[in-house]
Amino acid sequence: MSSKRHSILPAVSAGPKPPVQFSSSITIADSALLTGTNLITISSESVIHPRAKLDSLAGRITIGRRCVVHERTMLGVLGTSGKVTEQAVTLGDYVTVEVAASIEAGNTIIGEGSTVGVGSKIGAGAVIGKHCTLTPHTEIPAGEIIPDFTVIYSNGMKRIDKRGVADLKNKGQARQIDVLKRMIPSTPAKFT
Amino acid sequence: MAPLNPYTYIQCPCSDSASLGRPSDATSPTSADGDDEDNTFDPRAPRANFSLYPLEYLLYCEDCHQIRCPRCITEEIATYFCPSCLFEVPSSNLKSEGNRCTRSCFQCPICIGPLSVTSIETPPSDPTLLAPDHAATPHSTYSLICSYCNWSSTEIGIQFDKPNSIHAQLAKIRNGGASRLTAKERKERRKELSHRGGEAAVVAASEASGGQDMDLETQFANLKLFYNSQLADPNAEDNGLSSLGDLGFSSPSSLSRIMNLYTGGKLHDPRAKSKLGAMREAITAGEGLLEPNLDESSLISQLHQSDFLDTASSTQICSQPPNLGELHLHGAARFNSSLRPVPYLLRTKRSKRCPVCRHIISKPEAKVQTTRFRIRLVAGSYIPSISIRRLNLPGPNGPAAPAILGDLLEPLKPVHFLLTFKNPIFESLKVTLGAPAKTPGRFPSKVTVLCPQFDIDANTDVWDEALKDNDRESSNRSRRRAGTESQFQVEVGKIWERGRNWVSIVVEVVPASLKLEAGQDVLKEDEDVLEIPMFVRIEWEAENGGEDAASGPGRDKEQKEKRELAYWCVLGLGRIRQG
């Protein structure tokens, strides 16, 4: 634990230390919170920002390649349903989970290249397709299946993204990760 | 029930106060009052809603010394500007180019977010071939992309060559990428043709092109040209019924002929055409005839196949500007996939004038980026503001319970409210209040203003007060001591507390019981809100204006003029508990 707290937010209680399987090229901040009893896997070149919370109490957490998980996110939250499954949360490659988003546990799958917007809440068991865009503060009910290339905007309105910029977005994400690698000091050893 | 925060609304004198005094229903007891000299203002009258404003909405005319409200004020437009690029549009451009931005500012037709011009990178043609050293594409295309809902103009098939002046480029492209001629280009073509081949060539060309693309603009232009030609010369060879003697009244030649009949004689112009012509309607597409295509089966089958959410909503259709590139009426967008980007509507900066004396009351700066005002005479700097809070006095059984804002009022139990009047001007004010003993309406509550007349000190500087504080400290202490003694006693005729530029007084209210008798209607919306109409009269001494500066001797240096202002206001105190 760090010596002196500077934050005015209440202190987060630390839970059990989970077993982890990190790739060698990931960037994980020192103040990221990994708790739980199941395995947490983070694949190559992904970035975990400070104060991201990964909770594997309700199942495993698997994060794909070149993902970015921002601050104050909560992956693996036990929602009202409280489902405990083998795989709690799966993030595909190139997924971005923005600040303060929360993804509930229970076989929740986020497809490749999707962006979960700021403050979004994804219910347990939801399946988000590939290259989807969830605009800020969207709420996905539990069990919902979102097809590929969907944009969810406004109050749950949906439309199909036809820009065809999936490859460009992936390239942009790779460049962003290069920059983040230099900005966030990585301490994977703390969690292993 | 929604909790009610106390509010103060002021009535502007522009409304007809005589009609507001009469209550709407006959069962209310105030109807028995008859017509007082000043009819009690009834805040429940249907018209009262439109004349009541919070203090922040009201302006003040210094010449008339009267309150002005948004309803009675005269507005003049100072500048037009686009809210997106903040570009000032001269008013002369408005007539020619319309009231929308003609640069590159567009709204997404789906989600009304701002559209940004982005270049579309063309993917490399074949990754196996060697790319040249300078791999930059010389010809990049641009499109409009919404950053919120990810809509792109490529969805309707529109791409641009240049990143600026999108409005002009958009006028030349139809949905799907096909180009169209704008009005200017059409005129130029017509001129060229008339130079080369004469009138007949122009007619032939318009006939030929009429069949292909008869969009809204072309049809209008053709029709206008045709009607103009008809008005000028209705006796063209291809007239039908002219021999039957149909009178065409609007044709100038026929008008002159009729006038000549009356004036008669030598004035008749021998050169005037004796044969009367009749106007006819357009026959061909070149003259502007649009044959209606009433077969909408393809549209209907498309509607069958598509989702309800794929169709454009009424707001989306209404916000689309008229599409000059499509057919009139038949070409209106029905589906989300045919909505075009919407140019931003221009906004205005307005200056406000008093309707009576034409004095400028509010004038913003002409520069669009600054939000300041050159002149701003708001009522808040001339009339005292009233703030209300509940006063909990300890009853005979112990200390007072803390007041919760928005708490419901108990019927038939007396409550006390503290009204604080704050004086904004630099002179001391004398305030006289008048409130009817019973509030108007079906359920009258009893109202007593404990101190209806008091003075408020001038709004002097804080520094002046601090300097005088040393002198007044002893007197203040004695005053406060007296205040603490009477803190728990509400006395009639005495104010509650006084400060530098404010005074607070107590109002005692006994809310009415909302019990409905047999035969009475159900409680209407907001009928349980306790509202007190109050007549406020303020008197102050103001320095006379510079007009009399050069008057004769025997005058004081500063001529003080007594001024007074009176208005009705409504204090909303809270909701009464039902049942």
Side-chain angles (χ1 to χ4, degrees):
Chain A
M1 288 288 285
S2 45
S3 48
K4 190 175 180 188
R5 291 195 75 239
H6 297 281
S7 169
I8 55 170
L9 292 171
V12 186
S13 56
K17 190 169 164 184
V20 289
Q21 192 173 8
F22 290 166
S23 157
S24 55
S25 53
I26 69 160
T27 306
I28 181 162
D30 176 63
S31 48
L33 298 153
L34 271 65
T35 62
T37 47
N38 289 298
L39 183 66
I40 297 184
T41 312
I42 305 183
S43 313
S44 56
E45 292 196 56
S46 286
V47 176
I48 311 288
H49 277 239
R51 298 206 183 88
K53 184 168 180 190
L54 279 69
D55 188 355
S56 65
L57 262 177
R60 297 188 190 185
I61 295 186
T62 309
I63 297 183
R65 280 163 270 178
R66 289 192 172 159
C67 286
V68 180
V69 177
H70 280 83
E71 286 95 334
R72 277 202 296 134
T73 50
M74 294 200 286
L75 271 65
V77 187
L78 262 173
T80 44
S81 50
K83 267 172 30 174
V84 174
T85 49
E86 198 194 301
Q87 187 73 27
V89 173
T90 312
L91 266 57
D93 300 338
Y94 290 99
V95 166
T96 306
V97 182
E98 295 276 355
V99 173
S102 86
I103 304 179
E104 288 185 11
N107 268 330
T108 317
I109 300 173
I110 315 280
E112 177 188 330
S114 288
T115 304
V116 178
V118 173
S120 305
K121 293 188 172 66
I122 301 186
V127 177
I128 315 276
K130 298 191 184 143
H131 300 290
C132 286
T133 307
L134 271 65
T135 53
H137 291 287
T138 44
E139 291 190 14
I140 310 279
E144 180 116 334
I145 299 180
I146 312 282
D148 296 346
F149 292 101
T150 315
V151 178
I152 302 186
Y153 64 102
S154 188
N155 248 337
M157 303 272 288
K158 291 186 194 154
R159 59 181 301 272
I160 303 293
D161 182 5
K162 291 187 192 129
R163 292 177 299 170
V165 292
D167 291 330
L168 288 173
K169 269 177 42 176
N170 290 352
K171 282 189 206 156
Q173 180 113 332
R175 283 199 290 265
Q176 188 192 11
I177 288 175
D178 278 338
V179 175
L180 288 173
K181 240 191 247 214
R182 283 175 260 152
M183 295 180 73
I184 301 178
S186 178
T187 55
K190 178 188 168 191
F191 302 98
T192 48
Chain B
M1 268 292 162
L4 191 88
N5 286 336
Y7 54 83
T8 311
Y9 292 155
I10 297 173
Q11 188 211 3
C12 178
C14 69
S15 47
D16 187 8
S17 49
S19 62
L20 287 168
R22 273 166 222 120
S24 42
D25 55 326
T27 57
S28 128
T30 49
S31 62
D33 284 353
D35 290 73
D36 295 322
E37 203 191 27
D38 289 337
N39 281 326
T40 306
F41 174 51
D42 179 17
R44 301 230 192 270
R47 275 214 195 146
N49 192 20
F50 296 96
S51 60
L52 289 171
Y53 292 92
L55 184 63
E56 295 80 20
Y57 280 60
L58 293 174
L59 301 156
Y60 186 84
C61 177
E62 267 191 337
D63 280 357
C64 310
H65 302 293
Q66 197 50 271
I67 304 171
R68 297 280 170 234
C69 69
R71 271 204 316 179
C72 59
I73 217 124
T74 314
E75 282 185 350
E76 289 169 358
I77 295 177
T79 44
Y80 293 89
F81 64 96
C82 166
S84 154
C85 56
L86 293 185
F87 183 72
E88 193 181 320
V89 176
S91 47
S92 53
N93 280 18
L94 234 76
K95 290 215 180 119
S96 49
E97 292 173 1
N99 59 345
R100 291 183 185 264
C101 185
T102 50
R103 297 166 100 225
S104 305
C105 316
F106 286 88
Q107 265 180 341
C108 172
I110 310 285
C111 72
I112 64 168
L115 292 175
S116 53
V117 186
T118 39
S119 68
I120 309 172
E121 278 182 33
T122 46
S125 45
D126 196 341
T128 57
L129 294 175
L130 282 173
D133 287 342
H134 306 285
T137 41
H139 175 75
S140 55
T141 49
Y142 301 88
S143 78
L144 292 168
I145 295 194
C146 174
S147 51
Y148 182 66
C149 69
N150 290 346
W151 180 85
S152 163
S153 64
T154 48
E155 289 189 31
I156 48 173
I158 292 182
Q159 287 177 339
F160 305 102
D161 300 325
K162 306 177 291 179
N164 43 11
S165 64
I166 302 278
H167 193 268
Q169 292 182 65
L170 205 61
K172 292 187 195 150
I173 308 182
R174 281 192 206 167
N175 286 6
S179 66
R180 62 172 280 270
L181 300 168
T182 53
K184 267 192 199 167
E185 288 169 2
R186 240 175 258 276
K187 268 190 200 166
E188 279 168 26
R189 281 212 183 166
R190 211 185 290 273
K191 265 190 211 164
E192 269 188 53
L193 283 172
S194 67
H195 276 311
R196 292 190 201 153
E199 190 65 35
V202 176
V203 172
S206 64
E207 297 247 8
S209 68
Q212 303 165 2
D213 47 352
M214 184 64 138
D215 57 18
L216 183 62
E217 205 177 22
T218 333
Q219 188 201 357
F220 181 76
N222 287 355
L223 212 54
K224 192 171 172 188
L225 210 64
F226 170 70
Y227 281 138
N228 275 336
S229 69
Q230 286 292 295
L231 282 175
D233 185 10
N235 296 330
E237 315 80 46
D238 49 358
N239 265 353
L241 305 164
S242 57
S243 53
L244 296 176
D246 243 13
L247 291 170
F249 286 110
S250 56
S251 159
S253 60
S254 64
L255 275 173
S256 60
R257 195 182 114 80
I258 293 168
M259 290 310 295
N260 285 335
L261 280 174
Y262 288 98
T263 52
K266 308 278 173 27
L267 295 168
H268 175 74
D269 187 359
R271 286 174 296 167
K273 292 192 179 96
S274 50
K275 194 176 166 195
L276 197 61
M279 281 186 66
R280 64 173 179 88
E281 290 292 335
I283 301 178
T284 62
E287 290 170 346
L289 175 73
L290 177 67
E291 282 168 36
N293 181 13
L294 297 175
D295 177 23
E296 295 190 332
S297 47
S298 60
L299 205 59
I300 292 172
S301 61
Q302 204 180 354
L303 279 170
H304 277 313
Q305 289 159 12
S306 59
D307 204 18
F308 173 67
L309 292 171
D310 285 339
T311 53
S313 73
S314 49
T315 17
Q316 283 170 337
I317 296 177
C318 290
S319 60
Q320 289 267 295
N323 191 353
L324 299 173
E326 293 298 324
L327 292 174
H328 182 49
L329 294 180
H330 293 299
R334 273 182 212 276
F335 298 98
N336 272 345
S337 51
S338 48
L339 292 172
R340 286 167 73 96
V342 177
Y344 273 98
L345 279 170
L346 299 177
R347 297 218 192 132
T348 54
K349 273 195 166 186
R350 280 164 269 189
S351 59
K352 298 184 179 145
R353 270 185 200 271
C354 174
V356 172
C357 64
R358 306 280 299 149
H359 187 200
I360 292 186
I361 295 185
S362 155
K363 189 169 176 182
E365 287 249 359
K367 199 172 163 199
V368 181
Q369 284 88 347
T370 53
T371 53
R372 287 190 301 246
F373 285 80
R374 283 171 177 246
I375 305 170
R376 195 169 60 127
L377 309 172
V378 283
S381 21
Y382 291 93
I383 59 180
S385 61
I386 308 173
S387 54
I388 308 171
R389 90 179 156 87
R390 191 145 159 195
L391 187 67
N392 271 350
L393 302 168
N397 41 352
I404 310 168
L405 198 64
D407 215 7
L408 290 176
L409 304 170
E410 295 290 333
L412 301 176
K413 286 203 187 115
V415 224
H416 295 90
F417 283 91
L418 199 69
L419 304 181
T420 308
F421 289 76
K422 225 181 224 178
N423 179 13
I425 63 176
F426 296 107
E427 314 285 338
S428 59
L429 278 183
K430 180 169 167 234
V431 179
T432 314
L433 303 173
K438 287 203 171 195
T439 57
R442 262 204 299 173
F443 307 100
S445 315
K446 293 203 193 87
V447 176
T448 318
V449 177
L450 288 165
C451 180
Q453 204 169 19
F454 51 89
D455 285 341
I456 315 180
D457 294 330
N459 184 17
T460 54
D461 272 340
V462 193
W463 300 117
D464 286 341
E465 200 222 342
L467 287 169
K468 284 189 213 157
D469 208 17
N470 291 329
D471 310 336
R472 283 203 284 151
E473 220 176 53
S474 47
S475 59
N476 257 357
R477 261 189 238 130
S478 62
R479 192 186 291 174
R480 265 193 210 123
R481 235 177 274 133
T484 48
E485 281 171 23
S486 62
Q487 205 172 29
F488 301 98
Q489 291 168 16
V490 185
E491 292 176 29
V492 177
K494 286 240 170 80
I495 59 164
W496 182 255
E497 207 180 334
R498 180 187 291 275
R500 173 174 64 95
N501 64 336
W502 56 270
V503 160
S504 52
I505 61 161
V506 180
V507 167
E508 182 177 303
V509 181
V510 181
S513 162
L514 294 174
K515 277 217 176 70
L516 291 167
E517 321 254 314
Q520 276 190 325
D521 290 334
V522 184
L523 214 64
K524 291 189 204 125
E525 188 191 351
D526 278 348
E527 214 174 358
D528 58 341
V529 177
L530 179 60
E531 280 183 335
I532 308 176
M534 199 160 72
F535 191 69
V536 179
R537 191 166 105 219
I538 51 179
E539 290 159 23
W540 73 101
E541 279 183 357
E543 287 165 15
N544 217 347
E547 310 162 28
D548 305 36
S551 66
R555 257 190 74 248
D556 297 334
K557 251 194 190 169
E558 297 172 359
Q559 176 113 353
K560 290 269 183 181
E561 194 187 301
K562 224 173 187 299
R563 294 226 177 98
E564 73 160 27
L565 177 67
Y567 53 89
W568 277 99
C569 70
V570 171
L571 309 174
L573 298 177
R575 283 189 195 269
I576 307 173
R577 190 185 294 278
Q578 292 182 30

